[in-house]
Amino acid sequence: EALTAAAVRQLDGLTGAEDPADARALVELAQRADRLGGIRLGDALARLAADGSPLMRGAAGAVRVLLGQEEARTFGDRVASWVDGAGDPESRTALTARLAGLLTAAGPLLESAAPALEPLLDRVAELSDRGFLDRLPALRGGFDTLSPAARERLLSTVEERLDGERPSDTGDIDPAALARWTRADLAAREALAALGLLPTGRSEEDGTTEDPGHGIVKPAAPTASAPTLAPADRWRLLLGRRSSRLPASARSLATALDELYGQGRGEGSRGDMAGRGRGGREASYPGVREWSEELAALFGPGIREEVLAAAAAAGRRDVLMELDPDTVRPSVDLLRSVLRHAGGLPEARLAALRPLVRRLVEALTRQLATRLRPALHGTALPRPSRRPGGGLDLPRTLRANLATARRRPDGTVLVIPERPVFRSRARRAADWRLVLVTDVSGSMEASTIWAALTASVLAGVPTLSTHFLAFSTEVMDLTDQVEDPLSLLLEVQVGGGTHIAAGLRHARELVTVPSRTLVVVISDFEEGYPLGGLLAEVRALVGAGCHVLGCASLDDSGRPRYSTGVAGQLVAAGMPVAALSPLELARWVGEKIA
């Protein structure tokens, strides 16, 4: 009981978790702790469901339903809202992660709890064809968390519920009249076809068009009046099951997604034999270029880019060469995927990949610098002075001479500058030293990228000397590359254990003037060595007069995944610990050195 209670107190450390193993651990802990009762567990789960990473929001929400802390219908409405809000690349990525968290924590929940499933059924059915196709890869990626057998069971549940609703689809129309109208409609179509009045290249049977260049059947453009994809077909697509029952217009969609999600698992169009105990043996696309072209034709260039980025994150190196550096949407997630595979590539292929990495790094650094520079404004501009020499600082002069302000008869205001304030150039010497001690163990990949980008921006501050130390179980001083984030990121090797004390020991060797030294540790504080050494290093830096700060995470969301127990002991030793965004870190630096 004591161990379980201690573990519950650490749940806030999972706020930024992105590993499905953390979602599974959350379920196990919650089930064990729920037997003991207590309000702390409920509060922690509510915070995770509201403020956690997308993965943890989905997982914590599902766990709350399992424990009876939230109604299944309420959670189902929230899941449906995730689909509603997935209108841009970031929200679609979040949708995949939220579904993955939900299904990792409680896969059978949608299958067994009808109130949780009904809002999602309604939302998938109500989407326009374009809206559904935009969200289809994200939905498929989330449901891919389930095993093929679990998705088969869920599809059976969905089809049963949809079949139960079909008799009401025609309202009170007499079946005999409906049959007469259907025969008349078919006769009219035949007459139009005989006169050549049907759209050219459009199949009379299933509404498909044929691409003469590739010989691939593609779905015709969806109309705005009514969806062409039936709800059951939509669920077959997003679950990757029973593709043989899809109309020909939708099978190409299933095949394109199978290339990412179905490799070696008998999915979708390759899984038509799976129900008879055999896996599909059809060949994959001839190459990644053909697949890329097919994705663009089926989903559009934007969704194509998202699918290729997901494929890169899943380990497919060949798709990286298909990403156009000039049109790709820069994101830290994509940069993580590229850097993860760059280290294992031969030099020839790495050279071909370098323009993409350079484009991503430059774009992300430029975006970050735009946000950080206002926080560093006082450190980068010339300092005010009463001694003539530089240009007049008009805003400060006005504020310093408000007492002399006089209103003229014509209504204008006259200020007599008895105390003018001039600008004098800041010294180019590095008055302050910033040492970024960055954890590059496997769990800190995203924060490592943000740390490198942030360091490159801070290196441009004239009154600040920025050092970059990367550590796992060894320490690397990469200060000479801190102004070039591309070289810095290509040099960093993410992985290995965690020895924070070694990083701080090296940082202590760089201290010359403690009172003008900032030491920032970016880590999840999962120290792999005796904790006494780490606490001793922190006390030594604090005792010398250094300004020390611990970052439990460094990214735009500011959601940490860290050891709250170790962090608490570091706070007691004199090191404040917080989860910060780069902007918040820049503000802290600016306040210290201004």
Side-chain angles (χ1 to χ4, degrees), residues 111 117 149-163 235-236 239 241-242 245:
E111 183 181 341
L117 179 61
R151 279 180 280 127
E152 189 73 29
R153 291 194 301 270
L154 179 57
L155 181 57
S156 297
T157 301
V158 169
E159 288 180 336
E160 288 175 5
R161 298 192 65 80
L162 292 176
D163 286 340
W235 279 93
R236 292 178 187 119
L239 291 173
R241 309 306 298 164
R242 305 181 194 176
R245 298 179 60 179

mmCIF file with all atom_site columns, all heavy atoms in Angstrom, residues 111 117 149-163 235-236 239 241-242 245:
data_model
loop_
_atom_site.group_PDB
_atom_site.id
_atom_site.type_symbol
_atom_site.label_atom_id
_atom_site.label_alt_id
_atom_site.label_comp_id
_atom_site.label_asym_id
_atom_site.label_entity_id
_atom_site.label_seq_id
_atom_site.pdbx_PDB_ins_code
_atom_site.Cartn_x
_atom_site.Cartn_y
_atom_site.Cartn_z
_atom_site.occupancy
_atom_site.B_iso_or_equiv
_atom_site.pdbx_formal_charge
_atom_site.auth_seq_id
_atom_site.auth_comp_id
_atom_site.auth_asym_id
_atom_site.auth_atom_id
_atom_site.pdbx_PDB_model_num
ATOM 1   N N   . GLU A 1 111 ? -15.703 -1.303  -27.727 1.00 0.00 ? 111 GLU A N   1
ATOM 2   C CA  . GLU A 1 111 ? -16.434 -2.506  -28.134 1.00 0.00 ? 111 GLU A CA  1
ATOM 3   C C   . GLU A 1 111 ? -17.528 -2.873  -27.138 1.00 0.00 ? 111 GLU A C   1
ATOM 4   O O   . GLU A 1 111 ? -18.613 -3.315  -27.530 1.00 0.00 ? 111 GLU A O   1
ATOM 5   C CB  . GLU A 1 111 ? -15.440 -3.664  -28.274 1.00 0.00 ? 111 GLU A CB  1
ATOM 6   C CG  . GLU A 1 111 ? -16.034 -4.968  -28.750 1.00 0.00 ? 111 GLU A CG  1
ATOM 7   C CD  . GLU A 1 111 ? -14.985 -6.058  -28.826 1.00 0.00 ? 111 GLU A CD  1
ATOM 8   O OE1 . GLU A 1 111 ? -13.779 -5.743  -28.867 1.00 0.00 ? 111 GLU A OE1 1
ATOM 9   O OE2 . GLU A 1 111 ? -15.385 -7.235  -28.839 1.00 0.00 ? 111 GLU A OE2 1
ATOM 10  N N   . LEU A 1 117 ? -19.152 4.476   -27.730 1.00 0.00 ? 117 LEU A N   1
ATOM 11  C CA  . LEU A 1 117 ? -18.975 4.293   -29.167 1.00 0.00 ? 117 LEU A CA  1
ATOM 12  C C   . LEU A 1 117 ? -19.944 5.112   -29.997 1.00 0.00 ? 117 LEU A C   1
ATOM 13  O O   . LEU A 1 117 ? -19.605 5.577   -31.094 1.00 0.00 ? 117 LEU A O   1
ATOM 14  C CB  . LEU A 1 117 ? -19.121 2.807   -29.505 1.00 0.00 ? 117 LEU A CB  1
ATOM 15  C CG  . LEU A 1 117 ? -18.999 2.397   -30.982 1.00 0.00 ? 117 LEU A CG  1
ATOM 16  C CD1 . LEU A 1 117 ? -17.619 2.766   -31.522 1.00 0.00 ? 117 LEU A CD1 1
ATOM 17  C CD2 . LEU A 1 117 ? -19.252 0.906   -31.141 1.00 0.00 ? 117 LEU A CD2 1
ATOM 18  N N   . ALA A 1 149 ? -7.050  -8.806  -34.699 1.00 0.00 ? 149 ALA A N   1
ATOM 19  C CA  . ALA A 1 149 ? -8.198  -9.522  -34.144 1.00 0.00 ? 149 ALA A CA  1
ATOM 20  C C   . ALA A 1 149 ? -9.119  -8.571  -33.377 1.00 0.00 ? 149 ALA A C   1
ATOM 21  O O   . ALA A 1 149 ? -10.347 -8.672  -33.468 1.00 0.00 ? 149 ALA A O   1
ATOM 22  C CB  . ALA A 1 149 ? -7.722  -10.649 -33.232 1.00 0.00 ? 149 ALA A CB  1
ATOM 23  N N   . ALA A 1 150 ? -8.529  -7.644  -32.618 1.00 0.00 ? 150 ALA A N   1
ATOM 24  C CA  . ALA A 1 150 ? -9.344  -6.690  -31.857 1.00 0.00 ? 150 ALA A CA  1
ATOM 25  C C   . ALA A 1 150 ? -10.094 -5.752  -32.798 1.00 0.00 ? 150 ALA A C   1
ATOM 26  O O   . ALA A 1 150 ? -11.261 -5.404  -32.556 1.00 0.00 ? 150 ALA A O   1
ATOM 27  C CB  . ALA A 1 150 ? -8.465  -5.888  -30.904 1.00 0.00 ? 150 ALA A CB  1
ATOM 28  N N   . ARG A 1 151 ? -9.452  -5.356  -33.893 1.00 0.00 ? 151 ARG A N   1
ATOM 29  C CA  . ARG A 1 151 ? -10.146 -4.505  -34.858 1.00 0.00 ? 151 ARG A CA  1
ATOM 30  C C   . ARG A 1 151 ? -11.251 -5.264  -35.581 1.00 0.00 ? 151 ARG A C   1
ATOM 31  O O   . ARG A 1 151 ? -12.284 -4.693  -35.936 1.00 0.00 ? 151 ARG A O   1
ATOM 32  C CB  . ARG A 1 151 ? -9.139  -3.920  -35.847 1.00 0.00 ? 151 ARG A CB  1
ATOM 33  C CG  . ARG A 1 151 ? -8.413  -2.703  -35.271 1.00 0.00 ? 151 ARG A CG  1
ATOM 34  C CD  . ARG A 1 151 ? -7.415  -2.100  -36.208 1.00 0.00 ? 151 ARG A CD  1
ATOM 35  N NE  . ARG A 1 151 ? -6.169  -2.855  -36.194 1.00 0.00 ? 151 ARG A NE  1
ATOM 36  C CZ  . ARG A 1 151 ? -5.580  -3.323  -37.274 1.00 0.00 ? 151 ARG A CZ  1
ATOM 37  N NH1 . ARG A 1 151 ? -6.132  -3.148  -38.461 1.00 0.00 ? 151 ARG A NH1 1
ATOM 38  N NH2 . ARG A 1 151 ? -4.449  -3.977  -37.184 1.00 0.00 ? 151 ARG A NH2 1
ATOM 39  N N   . GLU A 1 152 ? -11.026 -6.549  -35.812 1.00 0.00 ? 152 GLU A N   1
ATOM 40  C CA  . GLU A 1 152 ? -12.073 -7.371  -36.420 1.00 0.00 ? 152 GLU A CA  1
ATOM 41  C C   . GLU A 1 152 ? -13.297 -7.438  -35.501 1.00 0.00 ? 152 GLU A C   1
ATOM 42  O O   . GLU A 1 152 ? -14.440 -7.321  -35.959 1.00 0.00 ? 152 GLU A O   1
ATOM 43  C CB  . GLU A 1 152 ? -11.523 -8.778  -36.681 1.00 0.00 ? 152 GLU A CB  1
ATOM 44  C CG  . GLU A 1 152 ? -12.440 -9.672  -37.498 1.00 0.00 ? 152 GLU A CG  1
ATOM 45  C CD  . GLU A 1 152 ? -12.492 -9.283  -38.960 1.00 0.00 ? 152 GLU A CD  1
ATOM 46  O OE1 . GLU A 1 152 ? -11.490 -8.746  -39.482 1.00 0.00 ? 152 GLU A OE1 1
ATOM 47  O OE2 . GLU A 1 152 ? -13.555 -9.506  -39.576 1.00 0.00 ? 152 GLU A OE2 1
ATOM 48  N N   . ARG A 1 153 ? -13.066 -7.608  -34.212 1.00 0.00 ? 153 ARG A N   1
ATOM 49  C CA  . ARG A 1 153 ? -14.186 -7.644  -33.263 1.00 0.00 ? 153 ARG A CA  1
ATOM 50  C C   . ARG A 1 153 ? -14.908 -6.303  -33.214 1.00 0.00 ? 153 ARG A C   1
ATOM 51  O O   . ARG A 1 153 ? -16.141 -6.245  -33.159 1.00 0.00 ? 153 ARG A O   1
ATOM 52  C CB  . ARG A 1 153 ? -13.689 -8.031  -31.865 1.00 0.00 ? 153 ARG A CB  1
ATOM 53  C CG  . ARG A 1 153 ? -13.209 -9.464  -31.740 1.00 0.00 ? 153 ARG A CG  1
ATOM 54  C CD  . ARG A 1 153 ? -13.054 -9.858  -30.272 1.00 0.00 ? 153 ARG A CD  1
ATOM 55  N NE  . ARG A 1 153 ? -12.109 -8.993  -29.572 1.00 0.00 ? 153 ARG A NE  1
ATOM 56  C CZ  . ARG A 1 153 ? -10.803 -9.232  -29.492 1.00 0.00 ? 153 ARG A CZ  1
ATOM 57  N NH1 . ARG A 1 153 ? -10.282 -10.308 -30.066 1.00 0.00 ? 153 ARG A NH1 1
ATOM 58  N NH2 . ARG A 1 153 ? -10.017 -8.404  -28.819 1.00 0.00 ? 153 ARG A NH2 1
ATOM 59  N N   . LEU A 1 154 ? -14.129 -5.211  -33.190 1.00 0.00 ? 154 LEU A N   1
ATOM 60  C CA  . LEU A 1 154 ? -14.748 -3.886  -33.140 1.00 0.00 ? 154 LEU A CA  1
ATOM 61  C C   . LEU A 1 154 ? -15.563 -3.635  -34.403 1.00 0.00 ? 154 LEU A C   1
ATOM 62  O O   . LEU A 1 154 ? -16.666 -3.067  -34.336 1.00 0.00 ? 154 LEU A O   1
ATOM 63  C CB  . LEU A 1 154 ? -13.672 -2.814  -32.967 1.00 0.00 ? 154 LEU A CB  1
ATOM 64  C CG  . LEU A 1 154 ? -14.173 -1.362  -32.925 1.00 0.00 ? 154 LEU A CG  1
ATOM 65  C CD1 . LEU A 1 154 ? -15.189 -1.173  -31.806 1.00 0.00 ? 154 LEU A CD1 1
ATOM 66  C CD2 . LEU A 1 154 ? -12.999 -0.402  -32.753 1.00 0.00 ? 154 LEU A CD2 1
ATOM 67  N N   . LEU A 1 155 ? -15.052 -4.043  -35.567 1.00 0.00 ? 155 LEU A N   1
ATOM 68  C CA  . LEU A 1 155 ? -15.803 -3.857  -36.807 1.00 0.00 ? 155 LEU A CA  1
ATOM 69  C C   . LEU A 1 155 ? -17.110 -4.646  -36.777 1.00 0.00 ? 155 LEU A C   1
ATOM 70  O O   . LEU A 1 155 ? -18.153 -4.170  -37.249 1.00 0.00 ? 155 LEU A O   1
ATOM 71  C CB  . LEU A 1 155 ? -14.952 -4.272  -38.009 1.00 0.00 ? 155 LEU A CB  1
ATOM 72  C CG  . LEU A 1 155 ? -15.615 -4.116  -39.378 1.00 0.00 ? 155 LEU A CG  1
ATOM 73  C CD1 . LEU A 1 155 ? -16.071 -2.676  -39.607 1.00 0.00 ? 155 LEU A CD1 1
ATOM 74  C CD2 . LEU A 1 155 ? -14.670 -4.551  -40.490 1.00 0.00 ? 155 LEU A CD2 1
ATOM 75  N N   . SER A 1 156 ? -17.077 -5.849  -36.222 1.00 0.00 ? 156 SER A N   1
ATOM 76  C CA  . SER A 1 156 ? -18.313 -6.629  -36.095 1.00 0.00 ? 156 SER A CA  1
ATOM 77  C C   . SER A 1 156 ? -19.324 -5.886  -35.227 1.00 0.00 ? 156 SER A C   1
ATOM 78  O O   . SER A 1 156 ? -20.524 -5.835  -35.545 1.00 0.00 ? 156 SER A O   1
ATOM 79  C CB  . SER A 1 156 ? -18.006 -8.006  -35.498 1.00 0.00 ? 156 SER A CB  1
ATOM 80  O OG  . SER A 1 156 ? -17.167 -8.763  -36.349 1.00 0.00 ? 156 SER A OG  1
ATOM 81  N N   . THR A 1 157 ? -18.847 -5.300  -34.123 1.00 0.00 ? 157 THR A N   1
ATOM 82  C CA  . THR A 1 157 ? -19.739 -4.527  -33.255 1.00 0.00 ? 157 THR A CA  1
ATOM 83  C C   . THR A 1 157 ? -20.324 -3.331  -33.999 1.00 0.00 ? 157 THR A C   1
ATOM 84  O O   . THR A 1 157 ? -21.526 -3.046  -33.911 1.00 0.00 ? 157 THR A O   1
ATOM 85  C CB  . THR A 1 157 ? -18.967 -4.032  -32.017 1.00 0.00 ? 157 THR A CB  1
ATOM 86  O OG1 . THR A 1 157 ? -18.451 -5.152  -31.302 1.00 0.00 ? 157 THR A OG1 1
ATOM 87  C CG2 . THR A 1 157 ? -19.864 -3.212  -31.106 1.00 0.00 ? 157 THR A CG2 1
ATOM 88  N N   . VAL A 1 158 ? -19.475 -2.634  -34.752 1.00 0.00 ? 158 VAL A N   1
ATOM 89  C CA  . VAL A 1 158 ? -19.934 -1.462  -35.506 1.00 0.00 ? 158 VAL A CA  1
ATOM 90  C C   . VAL A 1 158 ? -20.971 -1.874  -36.544 1.00 0.00 ? 158 VAL A C   1
ATOM 91  O O   . VAL A 1 158 ? -22.027 -1.232  -36.683 1.00 0.00 ? 158 VAL A O   1
ATOM 92  C CB  . VAL A 1 158 ? -18.734 -0.762  -36.173 1.00 0.00 ? 158 VAL A CB  1
ATOM 93  C CG1 . VAL A 1 158 ? -19.215 0.283   -37.175 1.00 0.00 ? 158 VAL A CG1 1
ATOM 94  C CG2 . VAL A 1 158 ? -17.839 -0.118  -35.127 1.00 0.00 ? 158 VAL A CG2 1
ATOM 95  N N   . GLU A 1 159 ? -20.689 -2.947  -37.282 1.00 0.00 ? 159 GLU A N   1
ATOM 96  C CA  . GLU A 1 159 ? -21.620 -3.375  -38.330 1.00 0.00 ? 159 GLU A CA  1
ATOM 97  C C   . GLU A 1 159 ? -22.960 -3.812  -37.730 1.00 0.00 ? 159 GLU A C   1
ATOM 98  O O   . GLU A 1 159 ? -24.018 -3.566  -38.310 1.00 0.00 ? 159 GLU A O   1
ATOM 99  C CB  . GLU A 1 159 ? -21.001 -4.510  -39.143 1.00 0.00 ? 159 GLU A CB  1
ATOM 100 C CG  . GLU A 1 159 ? -19.869 -4.048  -40.046 1.00 0.00 ? 159 GLU A CG  1
ATOM 101 C CD  . GLU A 1 159 ? -19.257 -5.167  -40.856 1.00 0.00 ? 159 GLU A CD  1
ATOM 102 O OE1 . GLU A 1 159 ? -19.353 -6.333  -40.433 1.00 0.00 ? 159 GLU A OE1 1
ATOM 103 O OE2 . GLU A 1 159 ? -18.670 -4.864  -41.905 1.00 0.00 ? 159 GLU A OE2 1
ATOM 104 N N   . GLU A 1 160 ? -22.926 -4.450  -36.580 1.00 0.00 ? 160 GLU A N   1
ATOM 105 C CA  . GLU A 1 160 ? -24.178 -4.845  -35.933 1.00 0.00 ? 160 GLU A CA  1
ATOM 106 C C   . GLU A 1 160 ? -25.018 -3.624  -35.570 1.00 0.00 ? 160 GLU A C   1
ATOM 107 O O   . GLU A 1 160 ? -26.237 -3.604  -35.773 1.00 0.00 ? 160 GLU A O   1
ATOM 108 C CB  . GLU A 1 160 ? -23.881 -5.666  -34.681 1.00 0.00 ? 160 GLU A CB  1
ATOM 109 C CG  . GLU A 1 160 ? -23.366 -7.070  -34.963 1.00 0.00 ? 160 GLU A CG  1
ATOM 110 C CD  . GLU A 1 160 ? -22.972 -7.792  -33.687 1.00 0.00 ? 160 GLU A CD  1
ATOM 111 O OE1 . GLU A 1 160 ? -23.196 -7.215  -32.602 1.00 0.00 ? 160 GLU A OE1 1
ATOM 112 O OE2 . GLU A 1 160 ? -22.454 -8.922  -33.774 1.00 0.00 ? 160 GLU A OE2 1
ATOM 113 N N   . ARG A 1 161 ? -24.361 -2.600  -35.044 1.00 0.00 ? 161 ARG A N   1
ATOM 114 C CA  . ARG A 1 161 ? -25.095 -1.398  -34.660 1.00 0.00 ? 161 ARG A CA  1
ATOM 115 C C   . ARG A 1 161 ? -25.606 -0.658  -35.890 1.00 0.00 ? 161 ARG A C   1
ATOM 116 O O   . ARG A 1 161 ? -26.720 -0.127  -35.877 1.00 0.00 ? 161 ARG A O   1
ATOM 117 C CB  . ARG A 1 161 ? -24.211 -0.486  -33.814 1.00 0.00 ? 161 ARG A CB  1
ATOM 118 C CG  . ARG A 1 161 ? -23.757 -1.123  -32.510 1.00 0.00 ? 161 ARG A CG  1
ATOM 119 C CD  . ARG A 1 161 ? -23.144 -0.093  -31.590 1.00 0.00 ? 161 ARG A CD  1
ATOM 120 N NE  . ARG A 1 161 ? -24.135 0.892   -31.169 1.00 0.00 ? 161 ARG A NE  1
ATOM 121 C CZ  . ARG A 1 161 ? -25.028 0.704   -30.211 1.00 0.00 ? 161 ARG A CZ  1
ATOM 122 N NH1 . ARG A 1 161 ? -25.076 -0.451  -29.561 1.00 0.00 ? 161 ARG A NH1 1
ATOM 123 N NH2 . ARG A 1 161 ? -25.882 1.656   -29.892 1.00 0.00 ? 161 ARG A NH2 1
ATOM 124 N N   . LEU A 1 162 ? -24.800 -0.613  -36.951 1.00 0.00 ? 162 LEU A N   1
ATOM 125 C CA  . LEU A 1 162 ? -25.251 0.047   -38.174 1.00 0.00 ? 162 LEU A CA  1
ATOM 126 C C   . LEU A 1 162 ? -26.390 -0.734  -38.823 1.00 0.00 ? 162 LEU A C   1
ATOM 127 O O   . LEU A 1 162 ? -27.342 -0.148  -39.336 1.00 0.00 ? 162 LEU A O   1
ATOM 128 C CB  . LEU A 1 162 ? -24.089 0.201   -39.154 1.00 0.00 ? 162 LEU A CB  1
ATOM 129 C CG  . LEU A 1 162 ? -22.984 1.170   -38.727 1.00 0.00 ? 162 LEU A CG  1
ATOM 130 C CD1 . LEU A 1 162 ? -21.849 1.166   -39.735 1.00 0.00 ? 162 LEU A CD1 1
ATOM 131 C CD2 . LEU A 1 162 ? -23.534 2.581   -38.560 1.00 0.00 ? 162 LEU A CD2 1
ATOM 132 N N   . ASP A 1 163 ? -26.304 -2.070  -38.816 1.00 0.00 ? 163 ASP A N   1
ATOM 133 C CA  . ASP A 1 163 ? -27.383 -2.889  -39.378 1.00 0.00 ? 163 ASP A CA  1
ATOM 134 C C   . ASP A 1 163 ? -28.679 -2.662  -38.609 1.00 0.00 ? 163 ASP A C   1
ATOM 135 O O   . ASP A 1 163 ? -29.760 -2.638  -39.186 1.00 0.00 ? 163 ASP A O   1
ATOM 136 C CB  . ASP A 1 163 ? -27.020 -4.375  -39.330 1.00 0.00 ? 163 ASP A CB  1
ATOM 137 C CG  . ASP A 1 163 ? -25.970 -4.730  -40.372 1.00 0.00 ? 163 ASP A CG  1
ATOM 138 O OD1 . ASP A 1 163 ? -25.823 -3.946  -41.327 1.00 0.00 ? 163 ASP A OD1 1
ATOM 139 O OD2 . ASP A 1 163 ? -25.300 -5.773  -40.214 1.00 0.00 ? 163 ASP A OD2 1
ATOM 140 N N   . TRP A 1 235 ? -15.825 2.617   -41.744 1.00 0.00 ? 235 TRP A N   1
ATOM 141 C CA  . TRP A 1 235 ? -15.228 1.882   -40.637 1.00 0.00 ? 235 TRP A CA  1
ATOM 142 C C   . TRP A 1 235 ? -14.321 0.765   -41.127 1.00 0.00 ? 235 TRP A C   1
ATOM 143 O O   . TRP A 1 235 ? -13.319 0.452   -40.487 1.00 0.00 ? 235 TRP A O   1
ATOM 144 C CB  . TRP A 1 235 ? -16.329 1.342   -39.715 1.00 0.00 ? 235 TRP A CB  1
ATOM 145 C CG  . TRP A 1 235 ? -16.816 2.398   -38.777 1.00 0.00 ? 235 TRP A CG  1
ATOM 146 C CD1 . TRP A 1 235 ? -17.863 3.246   -38.952 1.00 0.00 ? 235 TRP A CD1 1
ATOM 147 C CD2 . TRP A 1 235 ? -16.232 2.753   -37.522 1.00 0.00 ? 235 TRP A CD2 1
ATOM 148 N NE1 . TRP A 1 235 ? -17.980 4.109   -37.899 1.00 0.00 ? 235 TRP A NE1 1
ATOM 149 C CE2 . TRP A 1 235 ? -16.993 3.813   -36.989 1.00 0.00 ? 235 TRP A CE2 1
ATOM 150 C CE3 . TRP A 1 235 ? -15.169 2.270   -36.791 1.00 0.00 ? 235 TRP A CE3 1
ATOM 151 C CZ2 . TRP A 1 235 ? -16.700 4.405   -35.772 1.00 0.00 ? 235 TRP A CZ2 1
ATOM 152 C CZ3 . TRP A 1 235 ? -14.881 2.855   -35.561 1.00 0.00 ? 235 TRP A CZ3 1
ATOM 153 C CH2 . TRP A 1 235 ? -15.631 3.904   -35.069 1.00 0.00 ? 235 TRP A CH2 1
ATOM 154 N N   . ARG A 1 236 ? -14.642 0.145   -42.265 1.00 0.00 ? 236 ARG A N   1
ATOM 155 C CA  . ARG A 1 236 ? -13.732 -0.862  -42.820 1.00 0.00 ? 236 ARG A CA  1
ATOM 156 C C   . ARG A 1 236 ? -12.413 -0.221  -43.211 1.00 0.00 ? 236 ARG A C   1
ATOM 157 O O   . ARG A 1 236 ? -11.347 -0.827  -43.076 1.00 0.00 ? 236 ARG A O   1
ATOM 158 C CB  . ARG A 1 236 ? -14.389 -1.537  -44.029 1.00 0.00 ? 236 ARG A CB  1
ATOM 159 C CG  . ARG A 1 236 ? -15.598 -2.392  -43.654 1.00 0.00 ? 236 ARG A CG  1
ATOM 160 C CD  . ARG A 1 236 ? -16.265 -3.022  -44.867 1.00 0.00 ? 236 ARG A CD  1
ATOM 161 N NE  . ARG A 1 236 ? -17.500 -3.692  -44.463 1.00 0.00 ? 236 ARG A NE  1
ATOM 162 C CZ  . ARG A 1 236 ? -18.711 -3.383  -44.909 1.00 0.00 ? 236 ARG A CZ  1
ATOM 163 N NH1 . ARG A 1 236 ? -18.862 -2.419  -45.817 1.00 0.00 ? 236 ARG A NH1 1
ATOM 164 N NH2 . ARG A 1 236 ? -19.759 -4.039  -44.465 1.00 0.00 ? 236 ARG A NH2 1
ATOM 165 N N   . LEU A 1 239 ? -10.450 0.886   -39.885 1.00 0.00 ? 239 LEU A N   1
ATOM 166 C CA  . LEU A 1 239 ? -9.994  -0.271  -39.116 1.00 0.00 ? 239 LEU A CA  1
ATOM 167 C C   . LEU A 1 239 ? -9.124  -1.209  -39.935 1.00 0.00 ? 239 LEU A C   1
ATOM 168 O O   . LEU A 1 239 ? -8.524  -2.137  -39.380 1.00 0.00 ? 239 LEU A O   1
ATOM 169 C CB  . LEU A 1 239 ? -11.196 -1.049  -38.557 1.00 0.00 ? 239 LEU A CB  1
ATOM 170 C CG  . LEU A 1 239 ? -11.996 -0.340  -37.447 1.00 0.00 ? 239 LEU A CG  1
ATOM 171 C CD1 . LEU A 1 239 ? -13.248 -1.135  -37.111 1.00 0.00 ? 239 LEU A CD1 1
ATOM 172 C CD2 . LEU A 1 239 ? -11.137 -0.135  -36.207 1.00 0.00 ? 239 LEU A CD2 1
ATOM 173 N N   . ARG A 1 241 ? -9.939  -3.506  -42.165 1.00 0.00 ? 241 ARG A N   1
ATOM 174 C CA  . ARG A 1 241 ? -10.450 -4.872  -42.190 1.00 0.00 ? 241 ARG A CA  1
ATOM 175 C C   . ARG A 1 241 ? -11.511 -5.030  -43.283 1.00 0.00 ? 241 ARG A C   1
ATOM 176 O O   . ARG A 1 241 ? -12.192 -4.072  -43.645 1.00 0.00 ? 241 ARG A O   1
ATOM 177 C CB  . ARG A 1 241 ? -11.080 -5.260  -40.848 1.00 0.00 ? 241 ARG A CB  1
ATOM 178 C CG  . ARG A 1 241 ? -10.228 -5.008  -39.624 1.00 0.00 ? 241 ARG A CG  1
ATOM 179 C CD  . ARG A 1 241 ? -8.861  -5.640  -39.707 1.00 0.00 ? 241 ARG A CD  1
ATOM 180 N NE  . ARG A 1 241 ? -8.930  -7.096  -39.797 1.00 0.00 ? 241 ARG A NE  1
ATOM 181 C CZ  . ARG A 1 241 ? -7.911  -7.856  -40.179 1.00 0.00 ? 241 ARG A CZ  1
ATOM 182 N NH1 . ARG A 1 241 ? -6.767  -7.301  -40.542 1.00 0.00 ? 241 ARG A NH1 1
ATOM 183 N NH2 . ARG A 1 241 ? -8.039  -9.163  -40.211 1.00 0.00 ? 241 ARG A NH2 1
ATOM 184 N N   . ARG A 1 242 ? -11.636 -6.257  -43.808 1.00 0.00 ? 242 ARG A N   1
ATOM 185 C CA  . ARG A 1 242 ? -12.675 -6.661  -44.754 1.00 0.00 ? 242 ARG A CA  1
ATOM 186 C C   . ARG A 1 242 ? -12.729 -5.764  -45.981 1.00 0.00 ? 242 ARG A C   1
ATOM 187 O O   . ARG A 1 242 ? -13.799 -5.310  -46.420 1.00 0.00 ? 242 ARG A O   1
ATOM 188 C CB  . ARG A 1 242 ? -14.047 -6.686  -44.064 1.00 0.00 ? 242 ARG A CB  1
ATOM 189 C CG  . ARG A 1 242 ? -14.072 -7.565  -42.821 1.00 0.00 ? 242 ARG A CG  1
ATOM 190 C CD  . ARG A 1 242 ? -15.439 -7.594  -42.187 1.00 0.00 ? 242 ARG A CD  1
ATOM 191 N NE  . ARG A 1 242 ? -15.373 -8.145  -40.843 1.00 0.00 ? 242 ARG A NE  1
ATOM 192 C CZ  . ARG A 1 242 ? -16.406 -8.213  -40.016 1.00 0.00 ? 242 ARG A CZ  1
ATOM 193 N NH1 . ARG A 1 242 ? -17.590 -7.764  -40.395 1.00 0.00 ? 242 ARG A NH1 1
ATOM 194 N NH2 . ARG A 1 242 ? -16.264 -8.730  -38.804 1.00 0.00 ? 242 ARG A NH2 1
ATOM 195 N N   . ARG A 1 245 ? -15.030 -6.251  -49.123 1.00 0.00 ? 245 ARG A N   1
ATOM 196 C CA  . ARG A 1 245 ? -16.418 -5.802  -49.138 1.00 0.00 ? 245 ARG A CA  1
ATOM 197 C C   . ARG A 1 245 ? -16.540 -4.331  -49.488 1.00 0.00 ? 245 ARG A C   1
ATOM 198 O O   . ARG A 1 245 ? -17.655 -3.796  -49.542 1.00 0.00 ? 245 ARG A O   1
ATOM 199 C CB  . ARG A 1 245 ? -17.070 -6.076  -47.776 1.00 0.00 ? 245 ARG A CB  1
ATOM 200 C CG  . ARG A 1 245 ? -17.113 -7.569  -47.429 1.00 0.00 ? 245 ARG A CG  1
ATOM 201 C CD  . ARG A 1 245 ? -17.740 -7.813  -46.079 1.00 0.00 ? 245 ARG A CD  1
ATOM 202 N NE  . ARG A 1 245 ? -19.118 -7.319  -46.002 1.00 0.00 ? 245 ARG A NE  1
ATOM 203 C CZ  . ARG A 1 245 ? -19.879 -7.436  -44.926 1.00 0.00 ? 245 ARG A CZ  1
ATOM 204 N NH1 . ARG A 1 245 ? -19.403 -8.008  -43.821 1.00 0.00 ? 245 ARG A NH1 1
ATOM 205 N NH2 . ARG A 1 245 ? -21.115 -6.966  -44.917 1.00 0.00 ? 245 ARG A NH2 1
#
